[in-house]
């Protein structure tokens, strides 16, 4: 079921605010999918999903390798019993401290814990253009 990325409706948005681990799917240089568990925050007003991670991670390397057209096509997904939600868009790696701090704050709010400090932390920012789900 297609969802409006910027106006998802209260049930869809509530699902994205619950504590659920997600998966991020990026494309490896050989074309294969790379799927890993991540914490994701969803900001429909900005049309963004955010993931904090280490700059040396494979997911970051995959995004940087594919980032030739202004972003790498990715998907994040979460599932709980019969409910599921997927967000898709173009991912870029951001290193600006103020953006990372904001993403850490959002992560702490959703996942009810502050991540440990990490000087190698970066932000994967996904400019969303598609949302699907069933609640």
């Amino acid at each position: 079921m297609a969802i409006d990325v910027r106006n998802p409706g209260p049930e869809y948005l509530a699902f994205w605010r619950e504590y659920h681990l997600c998966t991020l799917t990026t494309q490896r240089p050989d074309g294969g999918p790379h799927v890993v568990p991540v914490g994701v925050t969803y900001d429909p007003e900005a049309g963004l999903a955010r993931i904090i991670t280490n700059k040396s991670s494979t997911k970051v390397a995959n995004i940087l390798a594919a980032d030739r057209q202004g972003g790498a096509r990715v998907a994040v997904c979460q599932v709980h019993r019969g409910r599921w939600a997927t967000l898709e868009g173009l991912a870029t790696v951001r290193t600006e401290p103020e953006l990372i701090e904001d993403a850490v704050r959002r992560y702490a709010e959703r996942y009810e814990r502050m991540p440990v400090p990490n000087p190698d932390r970066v932000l994967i920012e996904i400019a969303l253009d598609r949302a699907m789900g069933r609640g």
Side-chain angles (χ1 to χ4, degrees):
M1 174 177 178
I3 308 287
D4 183 342
V5 169
R6 291 195 175 251
N7 187 22
E11 289 180 9
Y12 192 81
L13 186 55
F15 187 42
W16 276 103
R17 290 192 171 142
E18 295 171 8
Y19 187 114
H20 297 290
L21 290 180
C22 305
T23 59
L24 168 68
T25 303
T26 60
Q27 190 173 30
R28 293 186 185 105
D30 70 3
H34 176 73
V35 184
V36 294
V38 292
V40 176
T41 61
Y42 173 34
D43 180 358
E45 291 176 4
L48 297 173
R50 296 175 179 92
I51 300 164
I52 54 174
T53 191
N54 196 296
K55 68 182 180 183
S56 64
S57 69
T58 300
K59 58 188 158 286
V60 167
N62 289 344
I63 291 166
L64 292 174
D67 189 14
R68 293 183 185 89
Q69 268 62 10
R73 191 97 190 133
V74 301
V76 291
C77 182
Q78 66 181 19
V79 177
H80 182 257
R81 299 182 187 225
R83 298 184 300 161
W84 63 274
T86 299
L87 299 169
E88 297 179 19
L90 291 178
T92 55
V93 177
R94 308 294 299 261
T95 59
E96 299 94 300
E98 66 279 5
L99 295 179
I100 295 170
E101 288 173 22
D102 179 58
V104 167
R105 180 189 59 76
R106 291 170 186 273
Y107 176 96
E109 184 178 299
R110 180 175 187 194
Y111 292 101
E112 301 173 352
R113 71 172 191 85
M114 183 60 73
V116 297
N118 178 356
D120 293 329
R121 180 172 286 135
V122 295
L123 166 62
I124 296 173
E125 189 176 78
I126 306 167
L128 302 171
D129 58 24
R130 186 173 186 183
M132 302 173 287
R134 179 167 300 157

